[in-house]
Amino acid sequence: MKKLNITQGSRTPFWMRDLEYIMAASSEVFAAMLKGLSLEARDFVISGCRITEAGQKISMTGGWCYYDGEVLPVLPLEPTTYSGANPRIKFTKVTRYDPAGDRVIELEGVSGTSQVYRDDCLQPSLVSSGDNYRLAIGRGAWNLGERVAAAARQADSGVVEAELMFAGSGSVRYRQVGGVVQLYGSLLNDSLTGFSGVVARGLPRPTVGMKFPLAAGDGTIEVDTDGILSISTQLNKVTLGHVVYVASPVTLTADGHYTTEQSGQQGGEV
């Protein structure tokens, strides 16, 4: 961490550059802490920036944002008319100066007024078609607390229908919560010849192929690393409710942050 190394009891000039060095020390540490909590997001809302829609008008409260390595205040957006659906608000960095800090300085024998109190901030505005922006947010965008909490929550796929790959009847469904997958449904081979081979695809992929015994009778159920379900048995009807396995975990990523830049966002859209 940056600090001035001054010998105790000594007398030395204090330069403006020294003050800049000290300020950089605290801002760098603070930014590093926030980056560690970001869960790989490049730019993100820290607090505030709550979006409200009423009719065809959208507004946003002020707040704070981690933006391009800096912690910056975000100005509020007054109610603004929009068209279409799912409006987004983009942030643009602007520089302001507080006139209370204006003072006369002398540089190389020349005197003049300088704006000393600089206050960079983010100006919000509605995204228009074709706009390019480093960061924009939509309704329900996460703040930092919600981002950290989301990392501990597992996404729930709900019940999803897989694609059948055989001529019989029935259904193959699954539900994935985090990395745990449970199968549902049953299959009937109308030709009364049992099962031998692929019956469905589109299941969550395990890291290694999984093989399960049938709930009743001889035979096996397999899920390979491509998410393909195969069954081998002389039985003409197979139920799947006992099949549970672990796939790559799915976490919440829809953070309501967007960018048009190629480096992208955590949960964002390019």
Side-chain angles (χ1 to χ4, degrees):
M1 178 177 173
K2 295 177 178 176
K3 60 182 179 180
L4 298 181
N5 184 27
I6 298 176
T7 303
Q8 186 175 1
S10 66
R11 298 176 64 184
T12 182
F14 187 81
W15 305 97
M16 295 301 294
R17 186 82 178 179
D18 298 338
L19 184 59
E20 180 182 345
Y21 190 81
I22 294 173
M23 291 189 300
S26 58
S27 61
E28 287 175 357
V29 170
F30 191 39
M33 293 171 62
L34 288 172
K35 186 174 178 61
L37 294 170
S38 69
L39 304 177
E40 303 304 321
R42 186 186 63 173
D43 308 295
F44 56 89
V45 170
I46 298 172
S47 63
C49 301
R50 291 303 189 189
I51 294 175
T52 303
E53 294 180 56
Q56 287 299 111
K57 288 193 173 183
I58 185 172
S59 60
M60 187 190 74
T61 63
W64 288 86
C65 185
Y66 181 84
Y67 184 91
D68 196 17
E70 295 183 90
V71 179
L72 296 172
V74 183
L75 302 180
L77 178 71
E78 298 301 321
T80 304
T81 301
Y82 71 91
S83 59
N86 301 319
R88 296 175 186 170
I89 297 173
K90 66 179 180 179
F91 296 157
T92 303
K93 182 180 176 180
V94 296
T95 296
R96 303 180 299 177
Y97 292 95
D98 185 344
D102 291 357
R103 64 193 64 180
V104 176
I105 66 170
E106 182 175 317
L107 180 63
E108 297 180 352
V110 179
S111 297
T113 300
S114 177
Q115 296 174 304
V116 176
Y117 289 178
R118 176 173 169 173
D119 182 18
D120 290 350
C121 63
L122 296 176
Q123 177 72 55
S125 60
L126 282 180
V127 171
S128 300
S129 177
D131 278 355
N132 291 313
Y133 45 85
R134 182 181 178 93
L135 174 64
I137 65 171
R139 186 193 309 113
W142 295 349
N143 60 30
L144 180 58
E146 291 164 335
R147 183 176 299 280
V148 173
R153 297 203 306 270
Q154 297 178 328
D156 187 341
S157 69
V159 178
V160 180
E161 195 87 19
E163 180 183 357
L164 292 184
M165 300 292 292
F166 82 115
S169 59
S171 66
V172 175
R173 294 168 292 161
Y174 70 86
R175 181 183 180 189
Q176 181 173 4
V177 180
V180 179
V181 182
Q182 180 172 7
L183 300 190
Y184 301 88
S186 61
L187 297 170
L188 177 65
N189 189 343
D190 300 327
S191 65
L192 303 179
T193 58
F195 295 85
S196 180
V198 174
V199 296
R201 66 181 180 185
L203 298 177
R205 301 179 178 186
T207 303
V208 296
M210 308 297 295
K211 182 179 290 188
F212 308 88
L214 289 177
D218 295 332
T220 58
I221 298 172
E222 296 185 45
V223 182
D224 70 14
T225 55
D226 291 323
I228 295 176
L229 177 69
S230 301
I231 298 177
S232 176
T233 182
Q234 296 298 311
L235 298 175
N236 296 312
K237 183 176 182 179
V238 174
T239 58
L240 304 171
H242 68 293
V243 177
V244 178
Y245 63 94
V246 176
S248 298
V250 177
T251 57
L252 302 175
T253 57
D255 63 2
H257 290 53
Y258 305 90
T259 183
T260 59
E261 297 185 4
Q262 291 301 312
S263 55
Q265 288 284 134
Q266 165 86 7
E269 176 179 313
V270 174

